[in-house]
Amino acid sequence: MTHRNLVILTGAGISAESGVPTFRADDGLWLGHRIEDVATPEAFARDPARVQAFYNDRRRQLPTVHPNAAHQALAELAARWHGKILLVTQNVDDLHDRAHAATPPGPGFDLIHMHGDLLKAVCTATGRVCDWPGDLATDEASPHHPAGRLRPHIVWFGEMPLQMDRIEAALAHCDLFISIGTSGAVWPAAGFVETAARAGARTVELNLEPSLGRSRFDEGRYGPATEVVPGFFSDLI
Ligand code: OAD
């Protein structure tokens, strides 16, 4: 079967072998942090110092990690693919961005960070997004508005993921949906497979182990992303 329009959803599992902790593993990122203390708008209103410190730590880690063979295989696929690929990542690291910068994609490729981007900040007064590679101070003044402060450009629990219209449109027209390294615990991303299936797409899960959503996929391949992702893409090409 030949495919043209792909939607690829990635989660923390694709970055695990680069040294970025996943969220729900026993030693994962939420360990020692309650979601409601660091990843909600209410937490930021209550204790901005704690929330900024949590994301400053994550941001400081980025220069120490590098794209792995799974990010690289995806970048090579995007460079060679003749149809469309929408890569939707739940990850806020920049490992996909760096892999695609090193191996430029074809014209049919696009990348959406649906849960935000650690290397960006948002003005609380205007909603404007700007690049922010360093730490954010507790009360970081916004360059965009005198009354504004800067917060991490992260979609917190209770907030709407980014660019959902574009994602839904791509899902409705894809013929292959691939989910890589995500537990299927967080919505709306966990429901993308069903939207793609309704559009008639073949649906494939690539993960360390069967995820919570396994039964929603036509197929699954299991093992470390650095092995299963290059293997699956080389079969696809
Ligand atoms: P999770 O931590 O929930 O799930 C990571 C998945 O990756 C699990 O199913 C693991 O089995 C799998 N995995 C771990 N190591 C792997 C490896 N080396 N190769 C392949 N798979 C591996 O992370 P996400 O599903 O990404 O949201 O979490 C989704 C969202 O929950 C995150 O974007 C974050 C969090 O709350 C926000 O912060 C808004």
Side-chain angles (χ1 to χ4, degrees):
M1 184 176 177
T2 54
H3 301 288
R4 247 192 105 63
N5 296 333
L6 276 52
V7 176
I8 302 174
L9 172 69
T10 64
I14 199 168
S15 296
E17 290 162 84
S18 293
V20 182
T22 64
F23 290 90
R24 291 175 181 80
D26 290 343
D27 58 348
L29 196 48
W30 295 129
L31 195 77
H33 300 275
R34 297 187 317 148
I35 287 171
E36 51 272 33
D37 288 336
V38 293
T40 66
E42 294 77 18
F44 188 59
R46 196 170 52 239
D47 191 349
R50 181 173 184 172
V51 174
Q52 298 283 34
F54 177 78
Y55 290 101
N56 286 343
D57 284 348
R58 314 268 84 74
R59 201 178 297 108
R60 276 184 208 156
Q61 192 199 19
L62 292 183
T64 71
V65 297
H66 304 285
N68 64 43
H71 299 101
Q72 188 52 37
L74 212 163
E76 280 159 22
L77 177 79
R80 296 171 62 180
W81 193 251
H82 292 299
K84 288 187 180 169
I85 300 179
L86 180 65
L87 170 57
V88 181
T89 187
Q90 297 168 91
N91 299 342
V92 297
D93 66 53
D94 65 339
L95 296 179
H96 283 306
D97 309 72
R98 280 192 254 161
H100 293 282
T103 305
F109 175 81
D110 213 344
L111 165 60
I112 293 177
H113 279 271
M114 68 175 288
H115 287 167
D117 185 333
L118 264 178
L119 293 173
K120 293 186 161 71
V122 193
C123 169
T124 56
T126 63
R128 275 183 66 180
V129 176
C130 56
D131 291 338
W132 202 269
D135 282 1
L136 280 166
T138 300
D139 211 16
E140 188 80 49
S142 168
H144 303 302
H145 194 281
R149 294 287 175 268
L150 290 180
R151 55 163 272 186
H153 183 43
I154 301 289
V155 175
W156 286 324
F157 285 86
E159 296 181 324
M160 184 60 84
L162 306 171
Q163 307 207 43
M164 284 303 297
D165 291 352
R166 284 183 59 211
I167 296 171
E168 293 287 344
L171 288 168
H173 293 100
C174 73
D175 47 37
L176 176 60
F177 174 76
I178 307 163
S179 171
I180 304 173
T182 177
S183 61
V186 171
W187 295 75
F192 290 173
V193 57
E194 281 165 346
T195 311
R198 275 198 299 277
R202 172 186 171 204
T203 58
V204 182
E205 161 168 280
L206 309 178
N207 205 44
L208 191 58
E209 64 213 349
S211 74
L212 294 172
R214 166 66 184 104
S215 62
R216 299 189 200 108
F217 289 86
D218 298 326
E219 300 161 45
R221 288 200 194 174
Y222 299 103
T226 55
E227 292 173 19
V228 291
V229 174
F232 183 79
F233 287 159
S234 80
D235 292 351
L236 198 60
I237 292 172

